[in-house]
Amino acid sequence: MTTRILLPIAAALLAAHAAGALAQADDNAPMQRVEITGSSIRRLAAETALPLTSIRAEDFARQGLTTAQQVLNSIPMNQTSVSSAQSIGAGTGGQSQADLRGLGGQRTLVLLNGRRIAAHPILGDSVDLNVIPLSALDRVEVLRDGASAVYGSDAIGGVVNFITRRQVNGGAVTVEAYQPQASGGGAERRFNLSGGFGDLATERFNLFGVMDLHRQQALPATARPFSATGVIPSRGVSQTSGTPFPANFFSDNGISGNPGFASGCQPPASVPNVGGSPTCRYDFTREVDNIPYTKQESYLGRLSYKLSQDHTLALEALHARSTNEARVAPPPLAGIGLIMHGDSPYYPGGSAGVPAVAGLSGEDLDISWRPLVTGRRIDYSTSTADRAVLSAEGVLYGWDYSSGLSHSVSKAASAFAGGYVVDQRIVEGVGSGLLNPFGEQSAAGRAYLNDSLLLGEYLNARMRASAFDARASRELYQLAGGALGFALGVEARKEKAVYKINRALASQASSSGFADAQDQSGQRRIYAVFAELNAPLIKDLELNAAARYDHYSDVGHSFTPKISARYQPLTPLLLRASWNRGFRAPTLFDIHGPQTVTNSSDPWNDPVLCPGGVPAPGANPNLSCDQQQNIRQGGNPDVRPERSKTFSAGVVFEPMRALTLSLDYWNIRLRDQISALAEQTVFNDYARYQSLFTYNAAGTRLESVSLITNNLGEVKTSGVDAGVLWRAPRASYGTLSLQVDGTWVRNYDYQNERGGAFTVNLGRYADASPVFRWRHNASLQWQLGPWGATLSNRTMSGYTDQNAVEPAFFNQVKAYSTWSLSGSYTGLRNLELTLGVRNLLDEDPPYTNQSTTFQQGYDPRYTDPLGRTWYARATYKF
């Protein structure tokens, strides 16, 4: 169950509001001084003054959460839009990201035990959550406020700190199984083993290790009716490609057609073009996966040694590996010089029996073909992360200190594993008359295509980060309200990114996106100094000030201050507020990432060669009209840092010991945001963005549209976080607790260029994604002896759809709400059992006509296509 660690309003309030262990502790036991995420000052736990959301590890199992991504999705202020499902056709390497406030994963800082991990090399702007060892965690702390003054770059939206257990004694083995009720795939299996020995308090050391393995089967789009096709006439949707099988052609005498059109093409995958030339369209949605086949494995080891009562050394090592198989439709071969001559036996009306097409008399045909016999394209991505940390902490001359030396490496590799073909061989095969783009292949043709497949690694990327950090805090002297706390810290980092393209392989397949990509590399050094002061001016009023100076060797320097205050006029009432400046340097990928050219997610009319869907004289409609166009993406050496201002104010009220209420207003303003324009923005306003369109020398073909990383305009967003925590008194029926955490967004507006008009994103699908006005997570827990149960609910409000359709088919996406239920039993010696069901009511994702992702009919970024899923978990301790 999600638990908020809020500002102190009294020891009694915090004891009731925090974890039950505090309430049950011995009153005479000494309180431990701890460092809370978002502050460098150590203080007693009962004095914490930070707006955190904390999720305990035991709650993961109760809610059936199997990955770090799912854990963060249980927090309403997180609006993740990059997960493993986005690897389908998007080339993300299968990574998953945190995204607080919907500002993007690049503006949420992810830490492991308070220290950074190297970002995933692909995109290069966020930690891949797949590397987090879930079974090693003690808790997850989410700071819902900007923290650049403490942590530096990336912490504009907030901070997610994954905190592992400090020591483990004994061993445990856990097995989990998750099985969707509907058939078709998506089942999950998980196994973890942990063990440790030694006691820091009595033996001065502890050594433990954790192994965590997770697998999930692929779920094809056709396994769910709501995502099985991109052709939905009743919704006005025809999300198809103009590169089908049988192939379309455009002749030298200006005829566009398809010899299979008269017989209805080859439904359901290939369907007749409606309202245009007599060609066919291809329903590529039928060939994609809703969920890719994924594997994750992580290994964590930690050795802690207590030098003395005041000094502890620790050595921590992490190794994680994840793989992802992204499957999409067979390769679209168009615009590559695929010419059929009149002497081919497969020429329409020729000797092989291909139906004739009126008007053709041997002219050369420019072919747009998708060879289905080569199979679906499979992109196999492997990501690894390694990190070693040597740390020391303790007390020295009255100062609480913590220092660490870390080195982390994140690697990613992508390989052709099926379906991709050598373009030139296909050109030669069609030109020679060996290949038949209109029908079945001969035995020689099949063998030729099989020999044309591309297999092997085409991209290898590496991100390396080495860092040293040291911080110290102490109480300086007594003020009227308590001790004046002071902290000082330094940090030095070196980052290096290398991107290597196997051009001998990638250049042979235009559909790979990396056909003309080049090797890239970059590095930087970062030095920082920061300080924090916490001043309890009077008994009920505390002020906190922090500041940080960062120097980047490649993009300059930044000074980021932060001030906050808390005021407790009454024992059950607490007020708080904060203001801070934020800073985010462009990542090495933002600057040095390889530029790639790949297909747009939507089909578009070329604004010059097919304006309004009408081909210009001499234009090939199979390339220019209602077709996926080439998009250029990647790094930009001219990108500058972005900056932000954040303000928040909140109240915590406990009218009775059993009830805690909280409200927190937040307001974030970001300028010079580092991002790329959405393809929808550019194609829908050619007059404004025509400089981004590049045509060949003859002006007869659109080469690409530049959507590389750039500095755009401002983002303005604000809202309220609300929390309710109710704890019933212990009774004969056991204990009950209810928690509801929600986020209400007041506004979310952005500019696509400095000084431009603001686009309203709240409650509507603008350009590439929606922003939800309301999200909440609720959890009701019951416990009686060894028996326990949890009922949870997750809800997101509806919004106005993308609606790139005729007005008669405009859609309002419905709210999405799912319930989960689990029961647990711990009455057997050394054994813990959990049974549960996710999506108890088997709720389908709401329909949306969005076309930004390759999956259609729903939005895979925010909803779950699995439906009702049963799960079981067993843990044996020894």
Side-chain angles (χ1 to χ4, degrees):
M1 180 181 68
T2 305
T3 303
R4 295 180 180 275
I5 302 179
L6 302 166
L7 287 171
I9 53 180
L13 175 106
L14 286 177
H17 181 62
L22 283 176
Q24 298 171 7
D26 187 341
D27 292 339
N28 297 320
M31 297 192 70
Q32 299 297 312
R33 299 173 68 82
V34 297
E35 185 175 314
I36 302 298
T37 301
S39 175
S40 297
I41 297 176
R42 287 182 174 267
R43 59 188 71 182
L44 298 179
E47 295 177 359
T48 57
L50 292 170
L52 269 81
T53 293
S54 181
I55 311 175
R56 307 294 302 187
E58 53 264 28
D59 295 320
F60 303 165
R62 292 185 184 133
Q63 298 188 35
L65 308 177
T66 61
T67 65
Q69 179 73 75
Q70 292 177 356
V71 172
L72 290 185
N73 284 344
S74 70
I75 303 172
M77 67 285 303
N78 183 69
Q79 184 171 311
T80 296
S81 58
V82 176
S83 63
S84 296
Q86 274 61 71
S87 67
I88 306 296
T92 64
Q95 63 181 294
S96 296
Q97 296 183 358
D99 184 358
L100 299 180
R101 307 299 183 201
L103 293 172
Q106 66 271 34
R107 298 178 187 94
T108 297
L109 179 60
V110 175
L111 307 173
L112 179 61
N113 290 330
R115 290 186 169 89
R116 293 174 179 257
I117 310 174
H120 193 280
I122 299 178
L123 304 183
D125 55 11
S126 182
V127 171
D128 180 12
L129 296 180
N130 292 320
V131 310
I132 301 298
L134 201 67
S135 61
L137 298 182
D138 175 70
R139 65 190 185 279
V140 181
E141 291 183 349
V142 180
L143 177 64
R144 310 187 313 272
D145 198 7
S148 289
V150 177
Y151 295 109
S153 183
D154 308 341
I156 290 176
V159 180
V160 178
N161 190 9
F162 292 93
I163 301 172
T164 64
R165 289 169 282 178
R166 292 182 62 86
Q167 70 173 17
V168 172
N169 282 289
V173 58
T174 299
V175 292
E176 301 176 43
Y178 296 77
Q179 185 64 49
Q181 182 169 296
S183 61
E188 297 177 73
R189 301 293 184 266
R190 187 160 171 244
F191 172 83
N192 65 70
L193 177 66
S194 62
F197 61 94
D199 186 277
L200 280 174
T202 60
E203 300 177 279
R204 298 175 56 185
F205 83 96
N206 181 257
L207 174 65
F208 77 86
V210 175
M211 177 180 70
D212 199 338
L213 309 176
H214 175 258
R215 306 284 186 272
Q216 184 169 23
Q217 296 175 350
L219 178 72
T222 51
R224 296 294 183 267
F226 54 79
S227 62
T229 177
V231 181
I232 313 174
S234 62
R235 297 282 192 173
V237 171
S238 180
Q239 189 70 6
T240 56
S241 167
T243 307
F245 176 82
N248 292 332
F249 67 81
F250 183 71
S251 69
D252 282 354
N253 62 345
I255 295 177
S256 177
N258 189 310
F261 177 81
S263 60
C265 301
Q266 288 194 8
S270 186
V271 296
N273 184 26
V274 178
S277 58
T279 56
C280 299
R281 305 284 301 178
Y282 188 73
D283 185 5
F284 59 84
T285 300
R286 300 178 59 83
E287 302 286 355
V288 306
D289 288 336
N290 286 346
I291 296 175
Y293 177 56
T294 58
K295 298 180 182 179
Q296 290 112 27
E297 56 187 66
S298 57
Y299 309 87
L300 177 77
R302 181 182 175 92
L303 171 64
S304 301
Y305 182 72
K306 204 163 190 177
L307 296 174
S308 67
Q309 185 63 30
D310 293 331
H311 306 285
T312 301
L313 290 177
L315 177 63
E316 180 182 292
L318 168 71
H319 172 72
R321 183 177 186 270
S322 64
T323 60
N324 180 289
E325 287 188 9
R327 300 173 185 263
V328 294
L333 303 175
I336 62 172
L338 193 59
I339 304 298
M340 174 176 279
H341 305 296
D343 59 357
S344 170
Y346 302 113
Y347 196 90
S351 60
V354 175
V357 175
L360 294 183
S361 55
E363 294 83 4
D364 282 354
L365 306 181
D366 190 338
I367 300 296
S368 298
W369 178 36
R370 197 178 293 262
L372 304 189
V373 294
T374 62
R376 294 195 292 171
R377 284 170 290 166
I378 304 174
D379 196 300
Y380 185 82
S381 298
T382 303
S383 302
T384 62
D386 294 279
R387 189 182 81 154
V389 179
L390 177 64
S391 62
E393 64 179 34
V395 180
L396 184 65
Y397 299 114
W399 289 81
D400 293 306
Y401 73 88
S402 173
S403 64
L405 184 65
S406 66
H407 180 70
S408 59
V409 179
S410 179
K411 299 178 182 179
S414 295
F416 300 134
Y420 290 92
V421 296
V422 180
D423 291 352
Q424 187 57 38
R425 281 184 56 85
I426 306 303
V427 170
E428 294 170 356
V430 170
S432 68
L434 175 62
L435 296 180
N436 178 14
F438 302 123
E440 294 294 327
Q441 302 296 327
S442 65
R446 288 193 296 271
Y448 186 88
L449 284 173
N450 188 62
D451 291 340
S452 301
L453 289 172
L454 275 174
L455 297 172
E457 183 180 293
Y458 64 87
L459 170 66
N460 190 291
R462 181 177 71 251
M463 187 80 70
R464 188 187 303 271
S466 300
F468 169 77
D469 67 86
R471 63 192 69 195
S473 66
R474 69 169 298 164
E475 296 175 351
L476 297 181
Y477 53 84
Q478 292 293 317
L479 298 177
L484 176 67
F486 173 71
L488 183 67
V490 296
E491 184 178 354
R493 299 201 314 274
K494 181 181 179 181
E495 299 176 347
K496 184 176 182 179
V498 177
Y499 302 91
K500 291 187 176 297
I501 312 296
N502 183 352
R503 298 208 67 240
L505 192 69
S507 62
Q508 299 183 71
S510 58
S511 63
S512 72
F514 286 82
D516 66 349
Q518 304 293 325
D519 291 351
Q520 295 287 337
S521 65
Q523 60 183 332
R524 62 164 50 133
R525 295 178 183 270
I526 306 112
Y527 303 98
V529 59
F530 49 94
E532 184 179 356
L533 195 66
N534 193 76
L537 301 182
I538 58 176
K539 180 180 179 182
D540 301 323
L541 177 63
E542 180 180 295
L543 298 181
N544 181 281
R548 180 180 174 112
Y549 176 82
D550 289 271
H551 176 74
Y552 282 71
S553 61
D554 56 348
V555 295
H557 58 85
S558 176
F559 176 75
T560 49
K562 178 175 182 176
I563 57 174
S564 62
R566 69 169 180 86
Y567 178 51
Q568 186 183 331
L570 302 170
T571 298
L573 179 66
L574 181 128
L575 308 174
R576 62 175 172 224
S578 71
W579 174 90
N580 70 84
R581 290 184 180 272
F583 161 80
R584 189 176 83 83
T587 67
L588 292 175
F589 185 88
D590 290 334
I591 301 172
H592 304 288
Q595 292 193 5
T596 62
V597 177
T598 187
N599 292 335
S600 61
S601 59
D602 291 5
W604 298 99
N605 292 316
D606 186 314
V608 173
L609 299 177
C610 193
V614 180
N620 182 349
N622 297 333
L623 300 179
S624 303
C625 300
D626 198 21
Q627 177 65 288
Q628 290 172 287
Q629 305 293 341
N630 288 337
I631 301 296
R632 179 172 293 277
Q633 299 170 309
N636 179 359
D638 297 325
V639 173
R640 307 183 306 276
E642 61 185 22
R643 301 180 186 274
S644 68
K645 293 180 181 179
T646 301
F647 169 75
S648 66
V651 57
V652 182
F653 181 52
E654 188 174 66
M656 60 187 70
R657 186 178 180 85
L659 180 64
T660 303
L661 309 172
S662 66
L663 284 175
D664 285 283
Y665 169 78
W666 48 270
N667 186 302
I668 302 172
R669 185 160 187 161
L670 176 72
R671 61 182 173 89
D672 293 330
Q673 64 159 319
I674 300 170
S675 189
L677 289 168
E679 64 181 67
Q680 292 81 4
T681 302
V682 174
F683 278 97
N684 286 327
D685 196 351
Y686 173 73
R688 178 184 291 271
Y689 298 109
Q690 58 182 304
S691 63
L692 303 179
F693 289 69
T694 301
Y695 289 84
N696 62 7
T700 58
R701 184 172 184 271
L702 176 61
E703 297 286 354
S704 67
V705 179
S706 178
L707 299 181
I708 63 173
T709 303
N710 219 321
N711 288 103
L712 307 183
E714 295 185 14
V715 177
K716 299 188 296 185
T717 182
S718 64
V720 175
D721 293 335
V724 177
L725 177 62
W726 171 75
R727 305 158 300 276
R730 187 182 301 272
S732 58
Y733 57 79
T735 59
L736 281 176
S737 63
L738 171 68
Q739 179 147 354
V740 181
D741 291 308
T743 295
W744 176 79
V745 181
R746 177 178 174 270
N747 70 291
Y748 193 109
D749 308 322
Y750 65 89
Q751 296 171 309
N752 282 317
E753 56 271 326
R754 297 191 71 174
F758 278 92
T759 298
V760 177
N761 205 169
L762 178 63
R764 60 185 292 263
Y765 199 111
D767 288 332
S769 63
V771 172
F772 300 93
R773 184 176 294 276
W774 172 256
R775 295 165 63 105
H776 80 246
N777 290 278
S779 178
L780 176 66
Q781 289 196 4
W782 167 79
Q783 191 74 42
L784 178 61
W787 296 96
T790 299
L791 177 66
S792 58
N793 171 257
R794 179 185 175 211
T795 295
M796 297 180 291
S797 59
Y799 55 90
T800 300
D801 212 346
Q802 186 176 19
N803 286 331
V805 293
E806 296 296 328
F809 297 103
F810 275 18
N811 181 54
Q812 186 73 21
V813 180
K814 297 179 180 179
Y816 182 59
S817 181
T818 58
W819 293 85
S820 298
L821 177 66
S822 70
S824 61
Y825 181 69
T826 59
L828 301 175
R829 182 179 175 84
N830 299 332
L831 187 63
E832 298 177 2
L833 300 174
T834 301
L835 295 175
V837 55
R838 295 192 310 222
N839 197 350
L840 177 65
L841 303 182
D842 200 20
E843 187 76 19
D844 283 343
Y847 169 77
T848 168
N849 55 35
Q850 68 85 21
S851 54
T852 303
T853 70
F854 272 62
Q855 298 92 340
Q856 300 294 303
Y858 79 110
D859 199 321
R861 296 169 293 183
Y862 314 115
T863 58
D864 183 2
L866 290 175
R868 182 183 293 126
T869 300
W870 301 91
Y871 65 91
R873 183 178 192 266
T875 298
Y876 179 74
K877 297 181 178 180
F878 53 92

